[in-house]
Amino acid sequence: MNIVCLEELIKEPKIAYYSMEIGIQNDIPTYSGGLGVLAGDTIRAGADLKLPMVAVTLLTKKGYFIQELDERGRQTEHPVSWDPEKYMDLLPHKVSVRIEGRDVLVQAWQYNVESLTRGCVPIFFLDTDVDGNAPEDREITHYLYGGDLAYRLKQEIILGIGGVRMLHQLGFEIKKYHMNEGHSSLLTIELLNRFKRPIEDVWDEKLVWDVEKVKDLCVFTTHTPVDAGHDRFPYDLVTKILCEPIPLNVLKEIGGRDDLNMTRLGLNLSEFINGVAKKHGEVSRSMFPGYEISAITNGVHTFTWTCDSFKRLYDKYLPGWANEPELFVRIGRVPDEEIWDTHMEAKKALLDYVRRTTGVEMNPDILTIGFARRATAYKRADLIFSDLDRLESIGPGKLQIIYAGKAHPKDELGKKLIEKLFSIKDRLKGKITMVYLKNYDMDVALKMVSGVDIWLNTPLRPREASGTSGMKAAHNGVMNFSVLDGWWIEGHIEGFTGWSIGPSPTETTLTDNLDTRDADDLYNKLETIIIPMYYSARHTWVRMMQNAIGKNAYYFNCHRMMRRYVTDAYIR
Ligand SMILES: *Cc1c(COP(=O)(O)O)cnc(C)c1O
């Protein structure tokens, strides 16, 4: 059935979307977090909108990892094993790429994302576990963000160079190549080779490389507002592993003098470049002066990130909402009690899950704060605990807190942070109930963003490029209580869609971040605004829930985002 679809699919020129990770469904563990979930949401919205798209990623047969936490919060990682055959079809096509002087065969698994609108976006999962490949090459596509720099470069060769060859081999005509972050930037090198001018046609040897032609075909989205977050490879490693696909002097000109910087490469060879929120666009422009960088603010896939009870509510009052999230503008039609009851249903489902997985009993009538994201220092998961005495004077009987998040296996500080939260949990016992759910994934995420009362986010400014979990919360009538960074700068209307923490976003240098100032604001608002409103002004509270849906979910969804990509990037 898929093969037939492939023939159907190659009829029309396509936008090819490349991402190192794609979160397409919970039990396909080829994603680690925000970037992958966004990629999945992008593709789902593309299918809903019947866009002519295909996507390419790596199979990562051993996935990211399963998180185990002991009673003290120490994390251990277990490889995931999953069976691609259960979900996808292995295609007979093979391409080969050269790595360390060997020809490495690459095969592809096809997974079709099909929408109820009958749109279809196929994803090709590249896999080097092919008979005939050397044992070490068979593992190139096994681990997501595992291994050393050499391993990562090999993966990026498979994704970028192998990924272009595979679509070509399958018979696709591609009108735009969209690089979701720099991991796939090597595709530009393959395109340069593909569109090389014959040497006898040019008067200067450099003109063999038709940079303008490749630029015309490429779109680059950057997601990282921190310099260290961009992939860089030393040239001796590059020449050892990749040899010299184009002359080194040309490569250095487009990929960076000192090392091969995958972001530079993407920026230099893309006609359209964007950040993922307005502020992030600004930050990126100052990080990379001289490039024209736009901003397309992220969204989330509306249907995917709405819990069952809200799906039923929207079906009743806003039919058509899933493929037309603009209909949230009419959320005012829904009676207050129904919004509240729908929320309580989601909250009880989450608290059930908490009881089943941790044994902890939480009270559905207590204001519940949710916090879940990668456990890493800049996200400051412990900000709310900066002054425990103060929290203990505000919270008992009025607050409970649910956490989740994995730390990257190599992020020791992140792991320590989880342990710290566990010890605080013990200290607060009997006063403020707190749980840490293990193995945060898309399923746990949906339960959390829909089942808590407020969604907390306290990153160091301006490190949060966009953030998306808060948008998921808004789709379920859950208000954000967050530092003004990323998307929240655009979504926040104080006391209306949610609440801010700390100073306004005009100040963006890291030195402006004062933990104490942010914590102080957090405590003040909890104590004087949020807790009193929750317990004594339920009507106002539900009005705010409506605004979260009618103003935040209305805008911060992937349908809006994809229309922007089409008009600004794909068909310009
Ligand atoms: C949405 C999501 C993320 C990203 O959330 P942020 O708010 O951007 O940190 C990470 N992991 C999972 C499993 C998600 O569903």
Side-chain angles (χ1 to χ4, degrees):
M1 169 210 157
N2 273 329
I3 307 294
V4 176
C5 194
L6 182 60
E7 277 164 11
E8 273 302 298
L9 287 163
I10 57 179
K11 282 184 189 155
E12 193 186 359
K14 291 285 193 280
I15 289 126
Y17 183 78
Y18 285 76
S19 184
M20 181 71 123
E21 47 170 314
I22 295 182
I24 202 63
Q25 63 185 60
N26 198 57
D27 43 2
I28 300 185
T30 57
Y31 69 95
S32 83
L35 186 75
V37 174
L38 176 79
D41 281 0
T42 298
I43 293 162
R44 283 183 278 272
D48 288 343
L49 294 169
K50 299 193 217 174
L51 300 182
M53 269 180 95
V54 299
V56 180
T57 187
L58 301 184
L59 187 67
T60 51
K61 216 180 256 179
K62 302 279 162 76
Y64 187 48
F65 67 89
I66 294 177
Q67 178 194 46
E68 195 53 63
L69 294 172
D70 70 7
E71 71 290 346
R72 282 170 53 190
R74 285 174 299 199
Q75 171 178 301
T76 40
E77 300 98 28
H78 304 288
V80 197
S81 65
W82 65 288
D83 185 6
E85 272 174 58
K86 250 176 79 184
Y87 307 93
M88 342 180 152
D89 294 314
L90 180 60
L91 299 175
H93 309 70
K94 291 193 179 49
V95 297
S96 107
V97 293
R98 247 179 126 64
I99 291 180
E100 287 173 340
R102 299 182 299 277
D103 285 321
V104 177
L105 291 173
V106 186
Q107 60 186 9
W109 299 74
Q110 184 182 351
Y111 176 103
N112 288 339
V113 176
E114 282 164 3
S115 164
L116 290 174
T117 63
R118 298 218 227 122
C120 173
V121 174
I123 307 176
F124 298 99
F125 289 81
L126 304 178
D127 178 14
T128 60
D129 195 357
V130 180
D131 281 341
N133 280 345
E136 56 166 317
D137 294 336
R138 297 183 74 140
E139 294 195 352
I140 295 175
T141 54
H142 273 13
Y143 302 96
L144 180 59
Y145 305 132
D148 56 9
L149 209 56
Y151 184 75
R152 172 72 79 92
L153 179 58
K154 290 176 189 175
Q155 289 193 320
E156 299 194 2
I157 293 170
I158 302 295
L159 180 65
I161 297 179
V164 171
R165 291 185 186 165
M166 183 56 80
L167 290 189
H168 190 71
Q169 167 92 302
L170 293 172
F172 285 102
E173 184 193 330
I174 304 301
K175 54 184 172 192
K176 287 282 179 199
Y177 291 86
H178 186 168
M179 292 166 263
N180 187 40
E181 195 49 290
H183 309 118
S184 52
S185 292
L186 287 174
L187 70 81
T188 58
I189 304 291
E190 174 66 9
L191 294 176
L192 279 176
N193 269 315
R194 177 147 298 178
F195 297 110
K196 222 160 114 173
R197 296 192 190 95
I199 203 126
E200 54 271 18
D201 287 5
V202 298
W203 50 270
D204 176 351
E205 210 177 308
K206 272 196 187 152
L207 293 179
V208 165
W209 310 101
D210 195 349
V211 171
E212 289 311 312
K213 164 90 186 168
V214 174
K215 272 182 86 165
D216 255 0
L217 283 170
C218 290
V219 171
F220 186 83
T221 302
T222 172
H223 295 260
T224 323
V226 218
D227 202 45
H230 299 267
D231 272 347
R232 285 204 170 98
F233 301 102
Y235 278 112
D236 51 356
L237 187 75
V238 174
T239 46
K240 180 171 161 267
I241 293 179
L242 189 57
C243 306
E244 241 184 271
I246 60 173
L248 199 57
N249 63 324
V250 181
L251 186 59
K252 285 187 172 177
E253 212 160 288
I254 55 179
R257 292 258 145 248
D258 310 326
D259 43 21
L260 179 57
N261 180 326
M262 302 306 269
T263 303
R264 289 261 169 220
L265 185 59
L267 294 177
N268 280 329
L269 289 215
S270 297
E271 187 64 47
F272 181 86
I273 306 162
N274 73 291
V276 289
K278 289 186 184 5
K279 178 87 207 173
H280 179 236
E282 248 172 66
V283 172
S284 304
R285 283 190 288 275
S286 64
M287 277 174 78
F288 303 105
Y291 297 94
E292 197 186 311
I293 303 180
S294 334
I296 297 181
T297 303
N298 279 342
V300 297
H301 186 248
T302 295
F303 189 77
T304 303
W305 295 108
T306 301
C307 69
D308 288 342
S309 58
F310 268 97
K311 276 179 181 156
R312 271 181 263 119
L313 183 77
Y314 296 153
D315 277 345
K316 180 171 166 194
Y317 288 98
L318 310 168
W321 61 280
N323 202 35
E324 201 180 344
E326 296 92 325
L327 289 171
F328 287 139
V329 76
R330 289 172 62 69
I331 191 68
R333 294 187 63 215
V334 184
D336 287 4
E337 319 77 70
E338 285 192 54
I339 290 196
W340 185 252
D341 293 347
T342 303
H343 169 64
M344 285 308 280
E345 201 179 322
K347 189 169 181 181
K348 284 176 183 149
L350 171 65
L351 300 194
D352 265 355
Y353 179 79
V354 167
R355 183 181 330 103
R356 284 202 311 277
T357 53
T358 66
V360 175
E361 194 78 44
M362 291 185 128
N363 182 343
D365 296 323
I366 288 185
L367 174 64
T368 306
I369 297 180
F371 186 108
R373 36 192 57 79
R374 185 157 50 88
T376 192
Y378 88 84
K379 305 257 190 185
R380 294 193 298 183
D382 54 349
L383 189 78
I384 189 174
F385 304 120
S386 328
D387 183 346
L388 278 177
D389 293 337
R390 180 132 186 230
L391 187 65
E392 282 175 324
S393 79
I394 300 172
K398 298 191 195 122
L399 266 192
Q400 51 194 12
I401 313 178
I402 304 179
Y403 272 93
K406 297 174 176 176
H408 186 276
K410 289 186 190 140
D411 184 356
E412 290 307 324
L413 281 176
K415 290 184 179 180
K416 284 273 170 291
L417 192 56
I418 301 179
E419 290 174 42
K420 179 174 177 193
L421 293 177
F422 266 68
S423 73
I424 291 170
K425 170 166 75 76
D426 295 339
R427 158 150 181 201
L428 291 177
K429 208 173 213 144
K431 296 175 214 146
I432 297 172
T433 309
M434 174 181 158
V435 292
Y436 199 106
L437 301 176
K438 65 176 184 184
N439 208 39
Y440 184 53
D441 61 14
M442 287 169 68
D443 276 1
V444 178
L446 178 57
K447 287 189 179 79
M448 283 185 72
V449 296
S450 59
V452 298
D453 297 299
I454 51 178
W455 193 246
L456 180 69
N457 192 16
T458 49
L460 279 178
R461 290 166 295 265
R463 297 267 182 101
E464 190 86 316
S466 159
T468 50
S469 57
M471 306 173 184
K472 301 170 190 169
H475 274 77
N476 298 280
V478 170
M479 278 86 82
N480 280 266
F481 181 32
S482 293
V483 159
L484 286 168
D485 200 11
W487 81 278
W488 188 231
I489 297 172
E490 296 161 57
H492 159 261
I493 307 172
E494 185 69 14
F496 205 74
T497 56
W499 304 272
S500 64
I501 296 170
S504 70
T506 45
E507 307 161 49
T508 49
T509 60
L510 281 173
T511 49
D512 283 330
N513 286 275
L514 292 173
D515 283 359
T516 46
R517 183 171 55 172
D518 288 353
D520 205 44
D521 199 30
L522 190 160
Y523 292 131
N524 277 334
K525 283 191 183 161
L526 260 185
E527 184 172 18
T528 62
I529 300 172
I530 300 176
I531 292 178
M533 188 194 293
Y534 183 81
Y535 290 103
S536 324
R538 188 57 49 81
H539 176 74
T540 315
W541 188 272
V542 175
R543 274 294 129 83
M544 285 187 70
M545 293 176 72
Q546 281 191 354
N547 292 330
I549 299 164
K551 296 214 178 290
N552 286 166
Y554 166 83
Y555 184 83
F556 297 97
N557 59 73
C558 267
H559 279 70
R560 187 261 321 148
M561 180 190 87
M562 283 313 278
R563 290 191 170 109
R564 282 290 307 276
Y565 275 105
V566 170
T567 52
D568 294 13
Y570 298 158
I571 60 170
R572 65 203 234 111

